[in-house]
Amino acid sequence: MSHQKRPTVAVLATGGTIAGEAPVAAQTSGYKAGVISVDRLLSAVPELDSVAAIRSEQIAGIDSKDLDDSLWVTLAHRVNVLLAQDDIDGLVIMHGTDTLEETAYWLHLTVASVKPVVLTAAMRPFTALSSDGSLNLLDAVTLAACPDAVARGVLVAFANRIHGARDITKVSTYAVDAFASPESGVLGWVQDRRIEFQRRVTRAHTIKSVFRLNDIDTQNPLPMVQIVVSHAGAVRVIVDALVDAGVRGIVVAGTGNGSIHSTLQQALVSARARSVAVVRSSRVGSGHVMRNGAAPDDMLGLVSAGTLNPYKARVLLMLALSRGWSEPLILQSLFDQY
Ligand code: SIN
């Protein structure tokens, strides 16, 4: 490919293990995430030069466990600005693995472009023997530069697999192959600069999303939405405290098919009486939560998250509430579409 014809890919760094540094190469835990600069990460992969012209930006340098809503807003604004430029063909975001699935879904709903947006990450720090970051970065840029990746929503390139933002979840605390897309499966594969898609995303995203960032900025923060877990011995005090603190929405990571401990359920019914939106998801990690299945959603004014995990259900609920949509049946129709 001649250099004139190379696509241009913006590469944004936010931190994570992919930018992690440890004192010795044999160390793969207890390192510091998010310290190596985007330009040093890029210069470790000279092969990128034959794939795309790169424009790099350091957005943050954090361990993604510390991500907050305002960084999401900043990131989504920047992604939208860059993708609106005619000379940018696609975009890659280097991210920590811990909250990657949340950021991917946030962008899936707030990016207003069909151009490819690909997140990637690493399980081993940059300094480690056999670090996975550089190859994941090369795969992500290859995918972002690929015309076939257009209009597929936000993607994740990790360990040679292409995952959809809605489906992906982290399934291992340490393994290099740390992600899966339970129930739906991967969208495809990227290996040795070859890309193969096996299916399309069917739910609404990006340009078909009704969620726009216009009304959301740092002066006008996203509504508070928190996640509570149902488990043996659950008590109501967390829900009551959240309601007193002004929470606008609660996602329950329920047991099984979104069932809720009766003590917690009573607290959530009280929260509903104070206009807090309540969404039932599951802590199981795969499968769907059926409306009116393990709890009487119609009667209690609850919403079922379907196949969205609790962390992504929180993203959708925050965006819906930010648009002023809080009625259970309106929320349910959003959870059925996105
Ligand atoms: C992080 O999420 O920033 C640290 C862990 C990782 O990237 O694997």
Side-chain angles (χ1 to χ4, degrees):
M1 195 186 288
S2 82
H3 274 211
Q4 273 89 347
K5 294 207 174 120
R6 277 186 314 168
T8 298
V9 173
V11 177
L12 276 47
T14 65
T17 293
I18 195 166
E21 187 170 39
V24 290
Q27 191 172 334
T28 60
S29 70
Y31 53 86
K32 191 150 177 37
V35 290
I36 310 251
S37 72
V38 61
D39 290 331
R40 193 164 152 217
L41 297 174
L42 288 165
S43 63
V45 194
E47 295 79 2
L48 287 170
D49 193 50
S50 62
V51 178
I54 304 289
R55 297 227 204 123
S56 66
E57 276 184 33
Q58 189 81 45
I59 299 286
I62 61 162
D63 187 320
S64 76
K65 72 179 175 55
D66 294 326
L67 198 83
D68 58 21
D69 302 346
S70 87
L71 184 55
W72 273 348
V73 174
T74 304
L75 184 62
H77 275 301
R78 191 65 195 138
V79 170
N80 279 316
V81 166
L82 287 167
L83 293 182
Q85 295 175 15
D86 290 342
D87 57 349
I88 291 194
D89 300 290
L91 189 142
V92 166
I93 299 168
M94 289 190 273
H95 200 284
T97 60
D98 288 346
T99 55
L100 176 145
E101 66 200 72
E102 297 167 58
T103 300
Y105 190 55
W106 161 261
L107 294 171
H108 198 56
L109 300 184
T110 56
V111 167
S113 173
V114 294
K115 292 180 185 173
V117 174
V118 183
L119 277 76
T120 196
M123 285 299 284
R124 293 180 178 155
F126 180 71
T127 48
L129 291 171
S130 209
S131 172
D132 50 330
S134 294
L135 190 54
N136 284 343
L137 175 59
L138 181 61
D139 287 346
V141 171
T142 306
L143 185 58
C146 173
D148 200 17
V150 168
R152 291 183 184 269
V154 171
L155 304 171
V156 178
F158 198 89
N160 294 126
R161 297 195 175 98
I162 304 169
H163 297 265
R166 190 183 190 280
D167 311 318
I168 188 168
T169 192
K170 190 172 179 181
V171 293
S172 175
T173 56
Y174 73 96
V176 174
D177 193 5
F179 286 94
S181 289
E183 290 298 304
S184 326
V186 298
L187 295 182
W189 298 269
V190 49
Q191 186 167 20
D192 301 347
R193 300 199 40 193
R194 289 210 303 263
I195 288 167
E196 190 185 326
F197 280 100
Q198 68 167 351
R199 67 178 180 87
R200 285 206 161 268
V201 170
T202 52
R203 300 280 185 123
H205 59 75
T206 56
I207 56 162
K208 296 214 170 123
S209 166
V210 289
F211 303 109
R212 293 282 165 253
L213 285 172
N214 308 349
D215 305 332
I216 304 169
D217 57 37
T218 39
Q219 315 311 320
N220 188 14
L222 287 156
M224 196 205 313
V225 175
Q226 292 289 298
I227 300 168
V228 298
V229 182
S230 187
H231 53 88
V235 293
R236 61 177 295 150
V237 63
I238 297 173
V239 171
D240 293 340
L242 285 171
V243 173
D244 288 344
V247 79
R248 300 266 312 281
I250 294 177
V251 175
V252 195
T255 37
N257 196 343
S259 53
I260 307 171
H261 191 292
S262 52
T263 306
L264 204 55
Q265 188 160 308
Q266 280 164 18
L268 292 165
V269 169
S270 313
R272 284 291 307 127
R274 290 174 65 182
S275 303
V276 175
V278 177
V279 173
R280 283 192 310 119
S281 181
S282 174
R283 65 181 206 180
V284 167
S286 70
H288 66 223
V289 167
M290 259 182 65
R291 183 163 177 82
N292 292 317
D297 295 315
D298 285 342
M299 196 173 89
L300 302 180
L302 309 181
V303 177
S304 152
T307 50
L308 270 189
N309 75 23
Y311 323 105
K312 299 186 200 200
R314 173 178 177 266
V315 170
L316 180 53
L317 183 55
M318 267 193 326
L319 284 167
L321 293 173
S322 76
R323 292 287 308 261
W325 294 321
S326 59
E327 280 303 306
L329 289 181
I330 293 175
L331 290 173
Q332 188 63 63
S333 96
L334 292 169
F335 274 82
D336 294 344
Q337 285 171 67
Y338 292 88

